[in-house]
């Protein structure tokens, strides 16, 4: 046992008094035998830094902090109260000026509007005056303006209305629907992601900027010789009544219907083109889940009820399948029995080899991989042969050419496979002998209906297609280009002809880049000239290579804006053009229509894809928000933008509305 003795040392004060400098002693390590003694082990510091003793805050400092927090809390409460009071005052002032009695006594009405004259081929009432034509001074100024009648209320019609200048035309919109619909978000409305009220804007509000008029009717026939549009409307008793509506210029923008392809049983299918379609789809989906939740439903019947079949792998079909998948993942699994989500199956039947086949190959593959990860059944290279009330029959062609038949039990079938003419556009096409297109009305590069009186009737949107046949203009082109009238076209004349073709059919420009190469390729006898037969073959090949514009909202919107600007120019230069006796007014005031592709986009279930021509963008959450931003910016009004934003917020916080209305 070692004994430690304390050695007395002189105090520090004593040493300082003696004038001896003191240097802090260096720490000396203890012997290892001492380190092993726990009793002598010094306490280990909690950190390498020396610990600074903390003292409690003075009471005055703590009180100042409390007062500071109370001050800012009070200011925040006061500012919030002031903001609420200011908002309430603003609403009160708004209501004070809104809910007032307006004097509407003795409103003038033209006698001809109340008692229209009879006439036309069918001796029907001719609506030459409307009941609101002279109700105020601004309306009276438009009486002498040319009558512009727009049939339809879709993308093309709305773009025309938004582009027209007020005061230039007496505008009348004819539509069986009193609102316009934002159709790209119909798949979202079909499952309750957004409300249907968010997607509609009343046509009367849109046309009010132009002091225009709205007629709730359906166009059924056209008398071009007398410039009369036949309408079918309903009387107060609910009986149909046909009338004539005069026009100076007519714009047909009434859209299209879905193509049936001659398939049997399409009455058992849903379409997705209108608000009514979206509401019917939503009711059927909720009905299926409610019935599948009942204890009396057999497993086989539950599986059939929860089987959703989408015929068509285009944007509408793909987005609808994606929305149904999201609905099941985010809402059904939380509020319905778990077995319902387990039994859900989604099938997409596509006639081509890939879905979204109009997009880039990378986008098609990305969407297909996304669907496969989500267990969405993709059936490609298949054709639906029949639709029955309880199942769908389709055939699949194998790579070796063999065809097999399959069935899918289902209680929900969406048909989204191309477009076809509606009854009115079919009637207009039948009236004109040179209308040979089977899906739409053919128009020229100025969007004028071929065969109609020049500059009287236009067609835009899904109901129209710009002509791509060059050979139909063969004789006119030869007559213009054959300067020496020898019946042959040399290279200089062919070069002039190419310029005329580009002017008449702008979509042919891409096929006419290498003029000399084309000339030499079809000059089969090498006589440095093209005969009529050689020229006919060349123009026919060019026409076959031209791709028609797709039936999309983007095309209709650009056509509507183009036509609106043209009509503005016609209104400004009308007197000058008439004084100079110019017949082709469209050619005099504007160039031909040229479509600019701004890209395509599609929603594929908490992800989105973008096809921007040479560039493709695809991804998850970021792409979905980009998709939302584009659709939000394309809304018709600030009201629908606000409602759409609120719908997305409500869906994110509280989920979709599961009520069956």
């Amino acid at each position: 046992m070692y004994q430690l003795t304390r050695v007395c040392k002189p105090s520090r004060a004593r040493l300082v008094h003696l004038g001896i400098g003191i240097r802090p002693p260096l720490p000396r390590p203890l012997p290892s035998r001492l380190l092993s003694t726990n009793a002598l082990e010094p306490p280990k510091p909690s950190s390498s830094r020396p610990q600074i003793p903390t003292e409690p805050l003075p009471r005055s400092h703590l009180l100042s902090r409390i007062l500071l927090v109370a001050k800012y809390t009070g200011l925040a409460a006061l500012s919030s109260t002031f903001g609420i009071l200011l908002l309430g005052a603003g609403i009160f002032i708004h209501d004070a000026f809104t809910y007032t009695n307006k004097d509407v006594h003795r409103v003038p009405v033209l006698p001809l509007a109340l008692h229209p004259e009879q006439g036309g081929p069918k001796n029907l009432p001719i609506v030459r005056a409307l009941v609101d034509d002279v109700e105020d001074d601004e309306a009276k100024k438009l009486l002498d303006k040319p009558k512009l009648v727009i049939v339809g209320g879709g993308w093309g019609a709305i773009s025309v209305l938004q582009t027209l200048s007020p005061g230039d035309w007496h505008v009348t919109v004819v539509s069986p629907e009193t609102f316009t619909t934002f159709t790209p978000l119909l798949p979202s409305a079909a499952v309750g992601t957004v409300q249907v009220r968010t997607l509609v804007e009343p046509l009367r509000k849109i046309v009010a900027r132009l002091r225009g008029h709205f007629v709730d009717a359906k166009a059924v026939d056209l008398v071009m010789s007398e410039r009369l549009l036949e309408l079918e409307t309903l009387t107060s008793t609910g009986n149909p009544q046909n009338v004539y509506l005069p026009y100076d210029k007519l714009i047909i923008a009434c859209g299209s219907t879905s193509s049936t392809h001659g398939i049997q049983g399409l009455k058992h299918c849903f379409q997705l083109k209108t608000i009514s379609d979206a509401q019917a789809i939503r009711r059927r989906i909720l009905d299926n889940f409610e019935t599948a939740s009942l204890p009396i439903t057999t497993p086989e019947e539950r599986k059939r009820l929860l089987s959703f079949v989408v015929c068509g792998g285009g944007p509408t079909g793909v987005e609808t399948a994606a929305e149904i998948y999201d609905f099941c993942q985010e809402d059904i699994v939380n509020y319905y029995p778990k077995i319902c989500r387990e039994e859900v199956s989604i099938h997409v039947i596509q006639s081509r080899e890939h879905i979204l086949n109009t997009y880039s190959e990378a986008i098609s593959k990305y969407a297909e991989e996304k669907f496969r990860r989500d267990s969405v059944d993709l059936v490609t290279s298949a054709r639906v042969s029949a639709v029955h009330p309880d199942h769908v029959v389709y055939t699949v062609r194998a790579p070796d050419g063999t065809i097999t038949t399959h069935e899918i039990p289902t209680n929900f079938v969406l048909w989204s496979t191309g477009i076809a003419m509606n009854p009115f556009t079919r009637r207009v096409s039948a009236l004109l002998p040179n209308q040979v297109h089977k899906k739409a009305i053919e128009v020229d590069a100025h969007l004028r209906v071929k065969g109609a009186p020049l500059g009287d009737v236009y067609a835009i949107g899904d109901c129209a297609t710009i002509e791509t046949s060059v050979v139909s203009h063969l004789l006119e082109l030869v007559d213009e280009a054959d300067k020496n009238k020898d019946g042959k076209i040399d290279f200089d004349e062919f070069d002039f002809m190419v310029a005329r073709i580009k002017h008449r059919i702008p979509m042919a420009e891409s096929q006419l880049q290498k003029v000399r190469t084309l000339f030499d390729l079809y000059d089969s006898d090498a006589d440095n000239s093209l005969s009529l037969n050689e020229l006919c073959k060349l123009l026919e090949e060019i026409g076959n290579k031209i791709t028609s514009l797709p039936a999309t909202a983007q095309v209709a919107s650009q056509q509507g804006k183009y036509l609106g600007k043209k009509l503005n120019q016609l209104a400004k230069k009308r007197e000058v053009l008439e004084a100079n006796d110019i017949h082709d007014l469209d050619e005099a005031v504007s160039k031909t229509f040229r479509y600019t592709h701004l890209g395509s986009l599609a929603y594929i279930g908490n992800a989105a894809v973008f096809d921007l021509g040479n560039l493709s963008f695809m991804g998850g959450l970021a792409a979905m928000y980009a998709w939302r931003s584009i659709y939000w910016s394309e809304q018709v009004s600030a009201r629908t933008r606000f409602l759409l934003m609120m719908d997305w917020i409500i869906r994110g916080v509280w989920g979709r509305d599961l009520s069956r209305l």
Side-chain angles (χ1 to χ4, degrees):
M1 172 70 70
Y2 290 94
Q3 182 178 4
L4 297 178
T5 57
R6 181 176 179 182
V7 180
C8 295
K9 294 183 179 180
S11 67
R12 183 181 181 89
R14 178 72 177 171
L15 293 176
V16 170
H17 178 73
L18 296 176
I20 301 174
I22 300 175
R23 185 175 181 181
L26 295 174
R28 297 176 64 182
L30 293 174
S32 59
R33 61 180 181 272
L34 294 180
L35 291 177
S36 61
T37 307
N38 294 336
L40 300 178
E41 230 177 81
K44 295 181 180 179
S46 60
S47 63
S48 58
R49 286 183 160 186
Q51 297 296 316
I52 301 176
T54 58
E55 298 180 359
L57 291 174
R59 175 173 292 183
S60 59
H61 188 61
L62 182 61
L63 183 61
S64 64
R65 284 194 175 186
I66 294 174
L67 292 176
L68 184 64
V69 172
K71 172 185 175 183
Y72 284 107
T73 303
L75 289 176
L78 288 175
S79 62
S80 300
T81 304
F82 178 76
I84 294 173
L85 293 175
L86 186 63
L87 179 62
I91 295 175
F92 178 80
I93 294 173
H94 172 269
D95 290 345
F97 286 96
T98 300
Y99 299 103
T100 57
N101 294 326
K102 296 183 179 180
D103 184 14
V104 292
H105 300 292
R106 297 180 181 180
V107 178
V109 179
L110 289 174
L112 195 59
L114 301 178
H115 305 284
E117 62 179 1
Q118 303 283 125
K122 300 180 182 179
N123 195 30
L124 298 175
I126 301 178
V127 185
R128 298 192 184 278
L130 299 170
V131 294
D132 53 348
D133 270 340
V134 293
E135 63 183 14
D136 54 34
D137 293 336
E138 293 185 15
K140 293 178 182 178
K141 295 178 182 178
L142 297 174
L143 275 178
D144 298 330
K145 300 296 182 180
K147 296 182 182 297
L148 172 64
V149 177
I150 302 174
V151 179
W155 283 83
I158 297 304
S159 296
V160 173
L161 294 173
Q162 292 178 333
T163 310
L164 284 175
S165 299
D168 291 339
W169 299 88
H170 182 279
V171 180
T172 303
V173 177
V174 177
S175 175
E177 300 285 356
T178 61
F179 50 83
T180 183
T181 305
F182 191 82
T183 52
L185 285 178
L186 282 177
S188 297
V191 297
T193 304
V194 299
Q195 300 301 314
V196 293
R197 295 297 306 173
T198 302
L199 307 184
V200 300
E201 184 71 11
L203 288 171
R204 288 188 178 273
K205 286 189 175 182
I206 297 174
V207 78
R209 184 184 68 89
L210 303 172
R211 295 309 307 269
H213 314 273
F214 174 77
V215 177
D216 183 8
K218 179 173 61 176
V220 294
D221 205 350
L222 188 61
V223 184
M224 298 183 188
S225 58
E226 301 182 35
R227 292 181 177 176
L228 295 175
L229 175 67
E230 183 178 346
L231 306 178
E232 180 185 298
T233 186
L234 297 177
T235 63
S236 59
T237 59
N239 297 321
Q241 172 67 53
N242 286 24
V243 297
Y244 283 129
L245 181 66
Y247 67 87
D248 292 306
K249 288 190 179 296
L250 174 67
I251 300 176
I252 302 175
C254 53
S256 61
T257 60
S258 296
S259 177
T260 62
H261 300 289
I263 305 301
Q264 298 179 354
L266 292 187
K267 62 182 179 181
H268 306 299
C269 298
F270 292 94
Q271 298 183 14
L272 191 54
K273 285 185 170 293
T274 65
I275 289 293
S276 299
D277 294 337
Q279 291 174 324
I281 290 174
R282 182 178 177 183
R283 285 193 294 269
R284 172 61 65 85
I285 292 175
L286 291 174
D287 285 344
N288 287 356
F289 278 105
E290 293 297 340
T291 307
S293 302
L294 297 176
I296 60 175
T297 304
T298 63
E300 294 77 13
E301 184 66 10
R302 182 183 297 110
K303 186 175 182 180
R304 186 185 71 84
L305 290 170
L306 302 182
S307 173
F308 301 93
V309 178
V310 177
C311 301
T316 301
V318 167
E319 290 185 348
T320 303
E323 290 284 358
I324 294 175
Y325 174 81
D326 288 349
F327 179 54
C328 296
Q329 286 293 102
E330 299 166 5
D331 296 273
I332 295 301
V333 73
N334 293 328
Y335 303 105
Y336 284 81
K338 297 293 190 296
I339 192 174
C340 289
R341 177 64 190 96
E342 185 181 2
E343 294 291 340
V344 168
S345 62
I346 304 172
H347 313 268
V348 178
I349 302 176
Q350 167 72 326
S351 59
R352 304 291 182 89
E353 295 181 358
H354 299 281
I355 60 173
L356 299 177
N357 58 288
T358 58
Y359 292 62
S360 67
E361 183 179 355
I363 284 180
S364 296
K365 291 183 177 179
Y366 180 85
E368 290 172 356
E369 292 174 0
K370 175 69 166 57
F371 273 7
R372 289 192 179 97
R373 290 196 303 269
D374 296 340
S375 299
V376 175
D377 180 29
L378 292 179
V379 185
T380 56
S381 301
R383 291 186 177 275
V384 176
S385 56
V387 179
H388 299 276
D390 57 352
H391 68 279
V392 173
V393 181
Y394 66 93
T395 58
V396 178
R397 180 182 294 274
D400 59 357
T402 58
I403 298 177
T404 56
T405 303
H406 304 268
E407 293 184 2
I408 300 178
T410 183
N411 195 45
F412 175 89
V413 181
L414 174 67
W415 187 262
S416 176
T417 60
I419 64 171
M421 290 185 181
N422 59 40
F424 177 63
T425 54
R426 190 181 300 112
R427 173 58 181 163
V428 173
S429 179
L431 290 173
L432 303 172
N434 55 348
Q435 290 285 337
V436 296
H437 203 279
K438 296 181 180 180
K439 295 183 178 180
I441 301 174
E442 268 197 320
V443 298
D444 63 9
H446 284 279
L447 305 183
R448 299 172 295 194
V449 175
K450 292 183 61 179
L454 191 65
D456 282 1
V457 185
Y458 303 85
I460 58 177
D462 294 359
C463 67
T465 181
I466 300 177
E467 62 176 340
T468 58
S469 174
V470 187
V471 71
S472 61
H473 300 280
L474 174 63
L475 297 180
E476 298 175 15
L477 293 170
V478 170
D479 186 61
E480 294 177 356
D482 190 9
K483 304 297 183 182
N484 54 11
K485 305 302 178 182
D486 61 350
K488 292 186 176 183
I489 303 297
D490 59 25
F491 179 74
D492 293 335
E493 293 172 339
F494 180 68
D495 191 48
F496 174 80
M497 181 182 290
V498 167
R500 296 302 301 165
I501 294 173
K502 291 180 179 179
H503 180 75
R504 286 174 178 264
I505 307 177
M507 292 190 298
E509 286 187 358
S510 59
Q511 307 297 329
L512 297 171
Q513 298 295 330
K514 300 178 181 180
V515 181
R516 187 74 219 189
T517 303
L518 277 175
F519 184 85
D520 294 338
L521 180 63
Y522 287 90
D523 184 13
S524 56
D525 54 6
D527 62 347
N528 202 31
S529 65
L530 296 176
S531 64
L532 290 181
N533 290 334
E534 293 170 340
L535 190 60
C536 180
K537 185 177 180 181
L538 185 152
L539 298 183
E540 186 177 3
E541 291 292 333
I542 291 175
N544 292 336
K545 294 179 181 178
I546 300 175
T547 304
S548 299
L549 295 179
T552 61
Q554 185 179 166
V555 173
S557 179
Q558 291 189 26
Q559 289 177 341
K561 292 177 182 178
Y562 163 83
L563 201 51
K565 293 177 182 178
K566 177 187 288 188
L567 293 174
N568 290 337
Q569 294 298 318
L570 284 173
K572 293 178 181 179
K573 302 177 180 179
R574 183 184 302 111
E575 297 180 358
V576 176
L577 296 174
E578 292 176 352
N580 290 276
D581 196 23
I582 297 176
H583 298 286
D584 194 345
L585 302 181
D586 296 88
E587 189 74 32
V589 299
S590 70
K591 298 179 180 179
T592 55
F593 172 74
R594 294 174 183 271
Y595 170 66
T596 302
H597 184 61
L598 302 178
S600 303
L601 59 159
Y603 177 76
I604 57 174
N606 286 330
V609 292
F610 297 81
D611 189 0
L612 308 177
N614 296 328
L615 298 176
S616 297
F617 174 58
M618 60 208 81
L621 195 61
M624 185 189 71
Y625 273 91
W627 172 82
R628 284 185 175 182
S629 300
I630 293 174
Y631 278 175
W632 183 85
S633 64
E634 291 295 325
Q635 293 296 306
V636 176
S637 65
R639 183 191 71 89
T640 55
R641 288 192 185 95
F642 176 79
L643 291 177
L644 182 59
M645 181 64 70
M646 293 304 299
D647 281 348
W648 282 333
I649 293 174
I650 291 172
R651 176 256 178 184
V653 177
W654 290 286
R656 295 170 178 83
D657 182 13
L658 301 180
S659 57
R660 183 178 55 199
L661 300 176

